[in-house]
Amino acid sequence: LRIILNFNMAEFDSDAQTLNRYVMASTKDHELVILMNAIATSCKLITSAVQRAGIAHLYGLAGEVNSTGDDQKKLDVLSNDMMINALVNSGVCAILVSEENEEPIIVPEGKKGKFCVAFDPLDGSSNIDCNVSVGTIFSVYEKREGSDGSAEDLLRSGADCICAGYVVYSSAVEMVFCFKNKPVHGFCLDPTIGEFVHTRKNMVFPANGGKTIFSCNEGNSVHWDQAIKDAVDEFKSGSKSYTARYVGSMVADIHRTILYGGIYIYPADHKSPKGKLRLLYEGIPMAMIIEQAGGIASTGLFNGKIQRVIDLVPEQIHDKCPIIMGGQRDVQVVYDQYKKQGAEVPELSAAAITHEE
């Protein structure tokens, strides 16, 4: 029985589907419910810290660098601690990998479980001091049979990833995630009840390709290969008029790309031949979400060939990868330029999308 009442323009739902309820109904896996609850709890804490950053004097640098040499902000450190504490104490994790920690975090024996989680606790944190959208990204694996939990359990391709998601902290706080081979769903944090509530069902790219938007950091264009330069020139001056939109927070740019359509590009180049984004906790989870929303997640030309991001196997926990993600219409523009340069280009085919009630 569902009753929706309207009082003073506020809507109340007596049967709201919360995150925990959705995960239980979808998987019947109690440990996965606990894991997603721990991630949600840490993201609620991060929400509070982000919203109170100015008042609590959390802007600025912490005076340290992370695993890949980036300067850490105070909120980076705090968000990282929040996620680690929530996941370690959930009782269902074996090993954690964070962008902010050079080494993997091994969960103590008495608290170990079956899941291995890689995460970027605060993506786009260079924007935090000017109040621009930031986010959290995560990927979840199960440890190998017979393993006690080691980095090897995470050094696998996205084919073994069982869950991927991100949270965007902005005018609203939204968690978007999917389970392996399942549709993408979105949950909005309702601050009045402190719960993520199901608000976006079966998220997919617009059927006609959506808005003509390209998103990239053109400040790096001097280092790009010719195909990427030509593709961006095509977006800017071709027969279809494209609009440039680049936030600089991967979560915000990808979220917009899924909802509105378009393409997000962060390619390998002469300055960064392996790309700039981290494979385990940026590339693979976003690729899984993009593909299961009906989009394309490609590396572009990388290590001599064009590949799917989700097929890459990391050799180290902080390995990087290049990214070309978007709808089939727009990724095809990039592929056409690679073909003109003589590269072997695979046929594009968006993933089949499973629809649920």
Side-chain angles (χ1 to χ4, degrees), residues 142-266:
E142 288 188 9
K143 64 183 182 182
R144 299 176 191 268
E145 187 175 350
S147 172
D148 289 329
S150 70
E152 296 298 320
D153 292 310
L154 279 163
L155 298 181
R156 293 184 277 173
S157 76
D160 292 328
C161 183
I162 66 166
C163 177
Y166 64 80
V167 177
V168 57
Y169 309 102
S170 186
S171 54
V173 178
E174 287 194 68
M175 176 185 287
V176 174
F177 74 95
C178 61
F179 298 120
K180 184 177 180 180
N181 298 325
K182 297 292 184 181
V184 180
H185 290 269
F187 294 76
C188 190
L189 180 61
D190 183 344
T192 65
I193 62 173
E195 293 284 353
F196 282 97
V197 177
H198 201 184
T199 52
R200 299 187 193 271
K201 299 180 180 179
N202 301 314
M203 294 172 63
V204 296
F205 274 79
N208 63 352
K211 295 184 179 181
T212 48
I213 298 172
F214 74 97
S215 181
C216 60
N217 183 354
E218 288 195 77
N220 293 326
S221 61
V222 67
H223 305 294
W224 291 345
D225 61 35
Q226 193 59 46
I228 297 295
K229 290 180 180 178
D230 292 344
V232 171
D233 285 343
E234 176 71 18
F235 291 136
K236 292 193 290 185
S237 58
S239 57
K240 291 183 180 180
S241 177
Y242 277 69
T243 300
R245 291 283 185 271
Y246 184 68
V247 178
S249 296
M250 186 187 191
V251 168
D253 284 315
I254 290 292
H255 191 58
R256 182 200 59 246
T257 300
I258 295 172
L259 294 177
Y260 290 178
I263 186 170
Y264 173 77
I265 304 172
Y266 212 125

Side-chain angles (χ1 to χ4, degrees), residues 227 231 234-235 240 242 262-263 265 296 298 306 324-340 345-350:
E234 176 71 18
F235 291 136
K240 291 183 180 180
Y242 277 69
I263 186 170
I265 304 172
I296 306 295
S298 171
I306 297 172
I324 298 173
M325 294 182 177
Q328 184 171 341
R329 177 197 65 191
D330 304 308
V331 176
Q332 187 66 59
V333 174
V334 180
Y335 276 27
D336 288 345
Q337 297 301 328
Y338 277 124
K339 188 178 290 186
K340 288 179 182 179
V345 177
E347 288 294 322
L348 277 183
S349 177

Side-chain angles (χ1 to χ4, degrees), residues 95-99 104 116-120 137-141 150-158 160-161 163-165 250 277-288 309-310 312-321 323:
I95 183 171
L96 311 176
V97 165
S98 169
E99 181 186 22
C116 310
V117 185
F119 57 90
D120 180 350
I137 313 173
F138 61 90
S139 61
V140 181
Y141 292 73
S150 70
E152 296 298 320
D153 292 310
L154 279 163
L155 298 181
R156 293 184 277 173
S157 76
D160 292 328
C161 183
C163 177
M250 186 187 191
L277 301 174
R278 267 66 67 167
L279 180 57
L280 263 181
Y281 41 84
E282 291 175 322
I284 285 176
M286 288 305 200
M288 184 170 166
V309 173
I310 212 159
L312 299 178
V313 180
E315 296 179 358
Q316 306 292 331
I317 60 174
H318 297 297
D319 275 1
K320 298 179 180 180
C321 69
I323 293 292

Side-chain angles (χ1 to χ4, degrees), residues 11-24:
E11 186 176 273
F12 295 89
D13 190 346
S14 65
D15 194 31
Q17 188 172 46
T18 63
L19 176 65
N20 287 353
R21 177 172 154 184
Y22 169 80
V23 175
M24 177 57 75

Side-chain angles (χ1 to χ4, degrees), residues 83-93 96 105-108 111:
M83 287 206 73
I84 292 172
N85 289 334
L87 291 170
V88 166
N89 290 292
S90 70
V92 296
C93 295
L96 311 176
I105 300 141
I106 306 298
V107 176
K111 297 181 178 180

